[in-house]
Amino acid sequence: MHVKKDDVVMVNSGKFKGESGKIIAVYPKENRVIVEGINMMTKHMKPSQKVQQGGIIKQEGKIHASNVLLYCEKCKKGVRTGVKFLEDGSKVRYCKKCGETFNK
């Protein structure tokens, strides 16, 4: 996948186009991600050991990974990324527009 947990991404299509947030969870087998504050859904919960107070709870839903782009601080928008190898042999992702490398 082109994104990882804790990356800041921007949604590029669908109901939440133009919004950005941090990735909370990644599901590579389903090719989906959960982005903080995006695709909020309501879930009806019964009181249990985990959830002391039952009721209606808002939580993030999954979004397809193809609908998000990594957010570049320099370009101030979602950008396509590439992969390149540094001199020490480590692999990094970089912005295809400005060439800035992303951490991790």
Side-chain angles (χ1 to χ4, degrees):
M1 290 186 74
H2 69 285
V3 290
K4 299 177 182 178
K5 186 178 176 183
D6 295 328
D7 281 344
V8 177
V9 293
M10 182 172 269
V11 180
N12 66 339
S13 68
K15 186 177 172 182
F16 302 98
K17 183 176 182 175
E19 295 182 33
S20 61
K22 187 173 155 186
I23 292 184
I24 299 171
V26 178
Y27 300 95
K29 287 184 180 177
E30 301 172 37
N31 206 17
R32 293 187 175 267
V33 294
I34 294 180
V35 183
E36 189 175 46
I38 309 269
N39 197 19
M40 296 302 284
M41 303 177 137
T42 56
K43 188 170 183 178
H44 297 264
M45 300 288 285
K46 279 182 119 176
S48 65
Q49 290 285 344
K50 257 189 203 176
V51 184
Q52 299 292 326
Q53 181 83 22
I56 300 171
I57 295 172
K58 287 210 170 256
Q59 67 182 32
E60 291 92 354
K62 296 176 185 176
I63 299 176
H64 200 272
S66 66
N67 293 338
V68 296
L69 289 172
L70 204 55
Y71 185 79
C72 179
E73 289 293 327
K74 197 172 178 185
C75 299
K76 300 285 188 229
K77 60 182 178 178
V79 292
R80 292 184 179 191
T81 57
V83 177
K84 63 181 174 183
F85 293 92
L86 300 177
E87 296 82 31
D88 62 349
S90 61
K91 190 161 70 167
V92 293
R93 295 174 294 167
Y94 70 98
C95 172
K96 290 229 176 170
K97 288 231 183 245
C98 64
E100 185 179 340
T101 58
F102 297 104
N103 55 354
K104 291 184 189 180

